[in-house]
């Protein structure tokens, strides 16, 4: 295994060096966690942490405390581009209690982590090395049990106790890793970094999912390019973690929303067509598979698969993660994806109307604290198949090359497709594209209008940028008075992936017609009204009423 080396808790591993390096914690910080990871051979110890601010390829060394002195070991690793690092090592000593610390070398400076202690426990002897023996089938119906998590499982930034989760029988956890919208994508990254190595150190297999928002377009070229751009975001996120290891399940596409326009009240004003949703999904899945060498998983629910997508046979090769609640997973004959009468027609539907699912999200109402998760509720899943079949989802590693990593300040170019100006009573509307050096759309960021400082726009002017597809926005300015206004449309990316670019604009706004004054209504006597009856409180609806809670 990558980064695994012999961990000898004896003098043979120790160098004579006992240097105490100066701390530069005011510049950076380094965390360290030490866990004994469940194994079927010699005890495995996992050391992991994160360097903040994140720096790639920083050398991390581990020291051990012996006779009250810190001594160097042969254990080392390098940080990923997200600043995380991990070392898995074999312990040959038994029932030993030791203390470790990690040291990051940045130039001529050294950063020490806090010291962490661990007592290594003996494990029962096993006649053969079989990883599947650790994959307990302790879930409902004798299936392998798992869950999926996101920022909602970290109220107040509280950490998840993955050791308790493992002890409760969970063997895989699917972590939200990325999102189409930049705000939620940044949140996903924060908690992905917290959870990924911690879950694996506890012995839990990890997977990832990408929440998709589809483009507002019927153009097949735009739809395909948007899917490929969003797939690129998922690939960059995976590369930031160091790629796929043998404890990672394949990336999943969370496709459950085909709304492409919302109204002022927040309801959906426009949905993508079935052909558009299907084309987008295939393009995303194919792009991720081509880069990583693993078939991604697709997550959705039966009604969406039937009503929002076309039954395309090309999708059937991708493992299906199906969400279907209110069914009893303890009944071995229960099948998710079945209607009360008839079939859900999807690419994964069989001749007898059942679904060829691989993962089943059977509840969103699991008792969180039972599994070491802060909060009250959590999504629970089961795997369909044997432990050896489960391990096939983690088969095949992918180590990213430098070109696979998210770029930093990549040059961009703004193209203003159109500008609509009517008069001062109407909004000014821009259609704006922003492209990468390859001509493909940018993946992150947004656009805004900034007036020249010499003649700034009045305070009442407002603007909004609505993303219609990757790298394409509709920018709307309201309240611009009549006159000649100069300024710039600026593209910026808070993630630092793409560089800022600008395009000058000159706006000539003519006066709008003066609206007729509203007549003053004549005064009418106020009628006497009867006292209003006290409204009856609406009954409280329990969203978990018909769901499995697995107390």
């Amino acid at each position: 295994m990558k980064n695994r080396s012999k961990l000898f808790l004896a003098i043979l591993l120790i160098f004579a060096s006992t240097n105490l390096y100066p701390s530069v914690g005011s510049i950076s910080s380094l965390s360290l966690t030490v866990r004994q990871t469940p194994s079927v051979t010699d005890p495995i110890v996992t050391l992991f942490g994160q360097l903040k601010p994140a720096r790639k390829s920083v050398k991390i060394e581990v020291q051990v405390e012996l006779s009250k002195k810190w001594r160097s070991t042969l254990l080392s690793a390098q940080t990923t581009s997200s600043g995380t690092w991990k070392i898995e090592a074999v312990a040959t000593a038994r029932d030993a209690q030791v203390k470790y610390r990690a040291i990051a070398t940045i130039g001529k400076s050294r950063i020490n982590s806090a010291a962490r202690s661990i007592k290594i426990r003996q494990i029962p002897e096993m006649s053969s090395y079989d990883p599947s023996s650790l994959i307990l089938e302790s879930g409902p119906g004798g299936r392998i049990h798992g869950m999926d998590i996101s920022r909602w499982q970290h109220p107040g930034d509280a950490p998840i106790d993955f050791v308790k989760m493992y002890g409760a029988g969970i063997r895989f956890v699917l972590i939200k890793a990325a999102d189409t919208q930049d705000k939620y994508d940044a949140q996903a990254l924060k908690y992905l970094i917290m959870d990924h190595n911690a879950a694996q150190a506890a012995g839990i297999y990890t997977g990832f999912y990408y929440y998709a928002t589809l483009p507002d377009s019927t153009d097949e070229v735009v739809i395909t390019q948007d899917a490929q751009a969003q797939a690129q975001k998922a690939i960059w996120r995976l590369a930031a973690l160091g790629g796929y290891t043998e404890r990672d399940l394949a990336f999943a596409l969370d496709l459950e929303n085909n709304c492409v326009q919302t109204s002022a009240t927040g309801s959906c004003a426009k949905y993508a067509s079935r052909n558009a949703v299907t084309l987008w999904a295939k393009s995303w899945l194919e792009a991720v598979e081509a880069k990583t060498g693993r078939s991604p998983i697709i997550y959705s629910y039966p009604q969406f698969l039937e009503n929002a997508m076309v039954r395309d046979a090309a999708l059937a090769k991708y493992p299906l993660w199906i969400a279907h609640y209110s069914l009893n997973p303890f009944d071995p004959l229960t099948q998710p994806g079945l209607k009360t009468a008839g079939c859900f027609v999807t690419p994964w539907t069989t001749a007898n109307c059942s679904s060829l699912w691989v993962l089943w999200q059977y509840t969103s109402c699991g008792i969180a604290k039972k599994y070491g998760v802060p909060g009250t509720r959590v999504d629970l899943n089961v795997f369909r198949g044997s432990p050896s079949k489960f391990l096939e989802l983690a088969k095949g590693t992918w180590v990213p090359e430098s070109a696979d990593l998210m770029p930093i300040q990549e040059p961009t170019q703004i193209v203003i497709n159109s500008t609509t100006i009517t008069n001062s009573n109407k909004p000014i509307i821009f259609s704006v594209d922003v492209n990468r050096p390859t001509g493909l759309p940018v993946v992150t960021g947004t656009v805004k209008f900034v007036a020249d400082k010499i003649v700034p726009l009045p305070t009442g002017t407002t603007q909004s940028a609505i993303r219609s597809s990757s790298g394409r926005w509709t920018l709307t300015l309201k309240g611009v008075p009549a006159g000649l206004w100069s300024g710039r449309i600026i593209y910026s990316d808070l993630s630092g992936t793409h560089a800022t670019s600008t395009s000058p604009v000159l706006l000539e706004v003519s006066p709008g017609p003066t609206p007729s004054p509203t007549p003053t209504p004549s005064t009418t006597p106020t009628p006497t009204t009867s006292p209003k009856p006290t409204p009856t409180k609406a009954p409280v609806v329990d969203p978990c009423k018909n769901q499995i809670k697995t107390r």
Side-chain angles (χ1 to χ4, degrees), residues 55 76 113 119 124 287 299 309 320 336 391 397 415 474 487 535 537:
R55 297 175 184 234
S76 66
S113 73
K119 183 173 183 179
Y299 167 90
M309 300 182 72
L320 175 63
L391 290 176
T397 59
V415 178
T474 299
K537 289 185 177 180

Side-chain angles (χ1 to χ4, degrees), residues 205 244-250 292-295 388-398:
Y205 283 75
Y244 280 136
T245 71
E246 56 194 35
R247 284 188 176 273
D248 289 319
L249 308 180
T292 65
R294 282 198 198 175
S295 293
S388 59
K389 286 289 186 183
F390 173 81
L391 290 176
E392 289 183 7
L393 286 182
K395 190 175 182 179
T397 59
W398 176 64

Side-chain angles (χ1 to χ4, degrees), residues 146 157 161 209 251 253 288 291-292 315 338 355 399 406 409:
D157 279 352
D161 185 347
Y209 70 91
F251 225 117
L253 171 62
V288 173
K291 172 55 67 174
T292 65
L315 289 170
L338 283 176
S355 294
V399 179
M406 182 178 285
Q409 296 298 320

Side-chain angles (χ1 to χ4, degrees), residues 161-397:
D161 185 347
F162 289 103
V163 174
K164 183 175 181 179
M165 185 186 293
Y166 182 90
I170 297 296
R171 289 298 178 267
F172 66 92
V173 60
L174 298 147
I175 308 169
K176 183 176 181 180
D179 192 294
T180 303
Q181 299 184 57
D182 290 352
K183 173 184 176 181
Y184 302 122
D185 187 65
Q187 292 172 339
L189 175 60
K190 174 182 177 180
Y191 295 111
L192 172 66
I193 289 173
M194 286 179 63
D195 295 337
H196 180 236
N197 284 339
Q200 290 192 359
I204 299 171
Y205 283 75
T206 55
F208 316 96
Y209 70 91
Y210 180 98
Y211 185 85
T213 301
L214 302 182
D216 182 9
S217 178
T218 57
D219 186 326
E220 291 189 358
V221 174
V222 173
I223 293 168
T224 301
Q225 285 187 344
D226 180 84
Q228 291 171 344
Q230 295 198 47
Q232 181 65 74
K233 181 184 282 189
I235 292 165
W236 281 341
R237 186 56 43 80
L238 181 59
L241 299 175
Y244 280 136
T245 71
E246 56 194 35
R247 284 188 176 273
D248 289 319
L249 308 180
F251 225 117
L253 171 62
D254 182 347
L255 188 58
E256 55 181 295
N257 178 16
N258 61 335
C259 181
V260 295
Q261 278 187 21
T262 55
S263 66
T265 61
S267 61
C268 187
K270 180 181 178 184
Y271 293 93
S273 69
R274 297 174 67 190
N275 285 331
V277 176
T278 305
L279 173 61
W280 192 97
K282 288 197 302 181
S283 301
W284 190 98
L285 294 163
E286 289 167 359
V288 173
E289 182 178 28
K291 172 55 67 174
T292 65
R294 282 198 198 175
S295 293
I297 300 166
I298 183 168
Y299 167 90
S300 197
Y301 57 97
Q303 292 85 350
F304 186 92
L305 295 172
E306 179 179 64
N307 299 321
M309 300 182 72
V310 175
R311 190 181 184 186
D312 192 319
L315 289 170
K317 72 172 185 174
Y318 297 104
L320 175 63
W321 175 14
I322 192 169
H324 198 161
Y325 308 151
S326 305
L327 298 177
N328 188 348
F330 292 93
D331 179 354
L333 299 184
T334 297
Q335 284 286 343
L338 283 176
K339 286 183 178 179
T340 305
C343 294
F344 282 108
V345 180
T346 79
W348 295 270
T349 304
T350 65
N352 64 357
C353 287
S354 62
S355 294
L356 294 173
W357 58 274
V358 174
L359 298 170
W360 173 18
Q361 186 185 78
Y362 66 86
T363 184
S364 63
C365 295
I367 306 303
K369 288 182 172 58
K370 172 181 176 179
Y371 302 99
V373 178
T376 56
R377 294 164 46 184
V378 71
D379 298 339
L380 295 174
N381 303 268
V382 289
F383 172 77
R384 177 181 187 166
S386 64
S388 59
K389 286 289 186 183
F390 173 81
L391 290 176
E392 289 183 7
L393 286 182
K395 190 175 182 179
T397 59

